[in-house]
Amino acid sequence: MQRYLLEIEYIGTSYAGSQKQPKEQPNTTKKIVTVQDEVEKAISTLTKTKTKTIFSGRTDAGVHAKGQIAHFDTELELNPSKFVNSMNGLLPKDISIKELKKVEKTFHAQKSAKARYYRYTIANRAQRSAWDENCLLVRYPLDIERMNKSLSYLLGEHDFTSFKKVRTSNPAKICNMYKAEAIRNGDFVYIDFIADRFLYNMIRSIVGTLLLIERNSLAPETLKDILDSRDKTKAGSTISPEGLALVRVIYNNNDINGESL
């Protein structure tokens, strides 16, 4: 049995997240389609065997990825270049495979990961542009220096309950945030996060709180107060997923500081 790593990119707008879910939503006959469904269907078609993939983690409905990682096992010896070409010919246009490579059987897309790198993209201008895609339009001015002061309070290991979705079955609440930084490039503001794990809706809640602080000219320390409160009701709104993308899954501790990202 051979184990292969897949690097996948996708626009998540049309999908109910990255990972498989029940085929129908409760109390409705609406079919649920995920990225994993489409990837497994393409692999199974090419290998002529029903194939299961393991993703590095779940991205929520509407969230995108430039570097999602998955692995799968097969008895076949695959030609990486040909297999990638064939998969991209089968997959919908909003999902593509960047790379396929053979890995050791000890590699696990989820369990071997050391950290994950996400970016939230904001178009910061008075009017929308027809060329804006996969970003959030914020019409009021954003102060990068103030934003980075706020974000600095998230660095290190903390209880992120204040930014976690209420009534989720996952009890995890402690995360180690290695990087939280806002960068301006013309009309665009990029907010980068690297952490060992992210809670459900955590990034979208943090960014919503950051925008609340900026919109109302609150002190940057407000973000620290909300973090320390461990009270979700004090946080800002959980903003839309359209600006959020998984940039990279990090498997080497030396990459966590971001120098080679």
Side-chain angles (χ1 to χ4, degrees), residues 189-221:
V189 172
Y190 305 112
I191 308 174
D192 290 345
F193 299 93
I194 300 176
D196 62 344
R197 58 142 53 101
F198 290 95
L199 311 180
Y200 189 34
N201 284 352
M202 175 176 154
I203 294 176
R204 291 163 56 197
S205 180
I206 289 173
V207 175
T209 304
L210 193 62
L211 294 178
L212 174 71
I213 291 169
E214 284 299 290
R215 185 172 62 248
N216 295 286
S217 299
L218 303 176
E221 291 78 11

Side-chain angles (χ1 to χ4, degrees), residues 21 36 49 70 86 90 113 121 124 141 154 157 162 165 170 175 190 206 215 217 226 233 240 242 255:
Q21 300 179 35
Q36 187 177 23
T49 305
S86 297
L90 292 172
T121 301
N124 189 207
L154 302 179
E157 190 172 83
S162 294
K165 183 176 180 179
N170 190 334
C175 306
Y190 305 112
I206 289 173
R215 185 172 62 248
S217 299
I226 294 171
T233 64
S240 69
E242 59 191 340
D255 289 345

